[in-house]
Structure formats: structure tokens, C-alpha cells
Amino acid sequence: MKRSVLLLVLGICSTGLFAQKEKTDLKLSGMLTELTRGFQGQVGIYVKNLKTGKSAGFNADSIFPTASMVKVPITSGVFNKIVHKELDYRSTLIYKDSLLYAGEDILGSFKNNEKIALSKVLMLMITTSDNTASLWCQSLAGGGTAINKLMEENGLQFTRVNSRTPGREANRKQYGWGQTTPREMATLLSLIRQGKLISPAASERIYRNLIRIYFDQVALSEIPPYIQVASKSGAVDEARSEVALVNAPHGDYVFCITTKNQKDTSWNSSNEGWALIRKLSSMLWNYFEPGSKWQPPAGMEQFNLNQP
């Protein structure tokens, strides 16, 4: 059996076993069904209490667009190159105008031939969701093909980079830059949290970047600011998504929510997809931390930002 076929079989088996071994939180499952009732679009949710092992889901194994959540697989691909000595985390890169992805990116405001550390490019990709930095990192990682191979080797059979990746044009037309399932994206964050992705050291460095998020007005806004959360969100017109691993007092929990084919394509904070993400995050915080008295303070809406 060829190695690529063997890895695919192992990936399918490992994902299947992951789902089979989990205990379902029936109460939470019912809450998720009720939460999504009436949503004008398609929704996928996966939640797991990493302390008890119990999980709940709603369309948890359906494929959805990642939007900017694809930057978690991309950063993983770069760190894989670093661990294998093909890149140096401390290296200095030279920015070129040809790298520009039009928008409001910090990196895109650089002048041609300016220098920047690889570590800062990686930070910008995650912290401010910088698209120019992300596409540069995708190239540095060996492209979508190399990143997808890493995902496959970690048992993730649906999480893939589509854009600028040979053989994935049909997927790009359907899902955009990347694709995943709620279960797989949450699993990827769990692997990082547990030090099981690439190496313990690489996992920790990735995790440290994931806890420094500029766009914190959706899921993160419903979790106390003194609680550490590793996360990444994504958004395009018809899809909103977020994955978060919460280091809660009574035990870590992870969740991923994704949407597609939304009727509401607006870019204000009341967008139906973003509103649903906030509701889910609030519900989960109070479910896993029922003794918490924290609530978002009045007036926080004045600090809301539109997300890329």
C-alpha cells in the first residue's frame, strides 16, 4: 500500500475512533439544537469538555468554509518547516510588493525591500489575521500541498487549504481559501494544546500566538478577559466561524462553530452569524462555569470592530 493511501486510511480510522470513543453530553446536545433553531443558513458546531471527555455537536462532521480559520493549519505548516530545520524562526525576511494582498493589512503597508522577522510575520497572521502575512506563510510552508499533508498525517481528513493549491480548484470554488469540519478544527486546537502537533515546543509556541487575538469582539467577548483562550475566527460574506479552546477554572473546553450560505451577509456586529457565535460562547461559559457571576459590562458595543 502506498504511503499516501496508508496515511489517508489511518486518518479516516483515527477520526472515526475519535468520534466513537467520546461520550455524548445529551443535555448540551439538546441546547445546541435549540440554539440553532431558525438560523437563516447552515450551521455546524462541535464542543468538547477536555476534562471529562464528553462532547456535543450539531452537523459536527459536515464540511464548511474555514475563512481565516485556515491560518491555524497554515501556521502549523510553517512551524513544521522550522522544526525540520527548513526555516529558522529567528530569521529575517525581505518584504516584496509582489506579496501584497489588497486590504487593510499591517504587512501590506510595508515598502518594497523592508525587513521583518519571520516570528513577526507569524504573529501578524494569527493576532491581526493579516492576509498578506498569511499568504506569505502559506508559501513558506511549502504551499497548500505540504500543509494538507501535515493535516492528513494528524488524522484530519477534511481540513484542507484550497486556494493556490494544485488540484483543489473545485474545492476552492465551493469553500474558498480552506475547508474543515467543526470537529476537526476543534481537534486541531486540542492537539496543539496537548503538545501533540509537530512537537511539544512547536505546539506551545503556536498556542502562545493563538492567545493574542486582536479581533476579540465575538466569541471572546462572552468569556471573562482574565480567562486565557486560544482562538481564531474567520469571516466572508456568507460564512462566519470561530474556534476557541478555553482554559476555564473547572477544566479546558474547546468549541468550533461554522456557518455557510447565510442570508445575512452584512458586516456590522449584529450579523446573524456573529450573533449566534456570541450566544454559543456565552451559553458554553455559563454551562461549564455555572458559578461565574461575570457578565460583559454595559457599553462594550462601542468598542466593536468589523472583522476581516
Side-chain angles (χ1 to χ4, degrees), residues 239-287:
R240 310 297 155 104
S241 60
E242 194 152 357
V243 60
L245 198 154
V246 184
N247 301 133
H250 290 88
D252 291 358
Y253 64 91
V254 64
F255 67 94
C256 179
I257 175 170
T258 57
T259 74
K260 61 183 176 181
N261 302 320
Q262 279 192 201
K263 182 177 179 181
D264 184 355
T265 60
S266 66
W267 285 89
N268 54 58
S269 62
S270 62
N271 176 275
E272 188 181 16
W274 281 335
L276 182 65
I277 294 172
R278 287 193 295 270
K279 288 177 183 177
L280 172 66
S281 183
S282 176
M283 185 184 82
L284 293 176
W285 171 255
N286 289 292
Y287 185 76

Side-chain angles (χ1 to χ4, degrees), residues 15 18-19 22 45-46 55 60-61 156 181-188 256:
T15 304
F18 177 79
E22 291 179 352
I45 302 173
Y46 176 77
S55 65
D61 297 308
L156 306 176
T181 70
R183 186 192 304 274
E184 285 199 355
M185 187 55 69
T187 299
L188 179 56
C256 179

Side-chain angles (χ1 to χ4, degrees), residues 9-82:
V9 172
L10 290 174
I12 293 171
C13 291
S14 62
T15 304
L17 289 172
F18 177 79
Q20 292 170 10
K21 289 179 180 178
E22 291 179 352
K23 295 180 181 179
T24 301
D25 186 327
L26 296 177
K27 179 181 178 181
L28 184 55
S29 294
M31 293 170 67
L32 296 182
T33 299
E34 186 60 33
L35 180 72
T36 58
R37 197 180 305 279
F39 183 79
Q40 299 183 82
Q42 293 166 272
V43 186
I45 302 173
Y46 176 77
V47 184
K48 185 175 183 180
N49 183 319
L50 298 181
K51 182 177 181 180
T52 66
K54 290 186 177 181
S55 65
F58 182 88
N59 294 329
D61 297 308
S62 296
I63 300 175
F64 287 82
T66 58
S68 285
M69 287 197 305
V70 76
K71 294 164 189 178
V72 182
I74 291 173
T75 200
S76 301
V78 176
F79 276 95
N80 191 48
K81 290 284 188 180
I82 292 169

Side-chain angles (χ1 to χ4, degrees), residues 77-142:
V78 176
F79 276 95
N80 191 48
K81 290 284 188 180
I82 292 169
V83 167
H84 288 90
K85 309 299 183 184
E86 296 176 50
L87 290 172
D88 185 348
Y89 183 71
R90 301 181 183 87
S91 64
T92 298
L93 306 177
I94 306 297
Y95 175 77
K96 297 293 185 181
D97 286 342
S98 59
L99 295 166
L100 175 65
Y101 184 87
E104 298 182 4
D105 293 338
I106 293 173
L107 190 58
S109 67
F110 274 39
K111 295 179 181 178
N112 193 50
N113 291 324
E114 281 197 74
K115 296 179 180 179
I116 184 170
L118 172 59
S119 59
K120 291 182 179 179
V121 176
L122 286 162
M123 178 275 294
L124 287 171
M125 171 171 59
I126 297 298
T127 300
T128 66
S129 205
D130 192 297
N131 287 323
T132 299
S134 302
L135 288 168
W136 196 359
C137 284
Q138 180 173 323
S139 177
L140 291 169

Side-chain angles (χ1 to χ4, degrees), residues 116-223:
I116 184 170
L118 172 59
S119 59
K120 291 182 179 179
V121 176
L122 286 162
M123 178 275 294
L124 287 171
M125 171 171 59
I126 297 298
T127 300
T128 66
S129 205
D130 192 297
N131 287 323
T132 299
S134 302
L135 288 168
W136 196 359
C137 284
Q138 180 173 323
S139 177
L140 291 169
T145 300
I147 297 165
N148 292 343
K149 181 174 179 289
L150 178 63
M151 295 299 101
E152 182 180 311
E153 289 172 349
N154 282 274
L156 306 176
Q157 59 173 313
F158 300 116
T159 302
R160 297 289 184 267
V161 176
N162 295 327
S163 294
R164 305 188 182 191
T165 304
R168 299 201 62 83
E169 181 58 22
N171 296 78
R172 187 198 64 78
K173 287 181 179 179
Q174 184 173 5
Y175 298 108
W177 194 346
Q179 64 182 62
T180 191
T181 70
R183 186 192 304 274
E184 285 199 355
M185 187 55 69
T187 299
L188 179 56
L189 240 63
S190 299
L191 290 171
I192 296 167
R193 170 69 175 94
Q194 295 160 0
K196 295 180 179 179
L197 187 75
I198 307 168
S199 73
S203 291
E204 181 164 315
R205 182 63 264 173
I206 294 169
Y207 200 83
R208 286 181 181 275
N209 284 352
L210 290 168
I211 64 175
R212 302 184 299 184
I213 299 297
Y214 174 68
F215 293 104
D216 59 3
Q217 295 82 38
V218 189
L220 299 184
S221 72
E222 303 302 317
I223 300 167

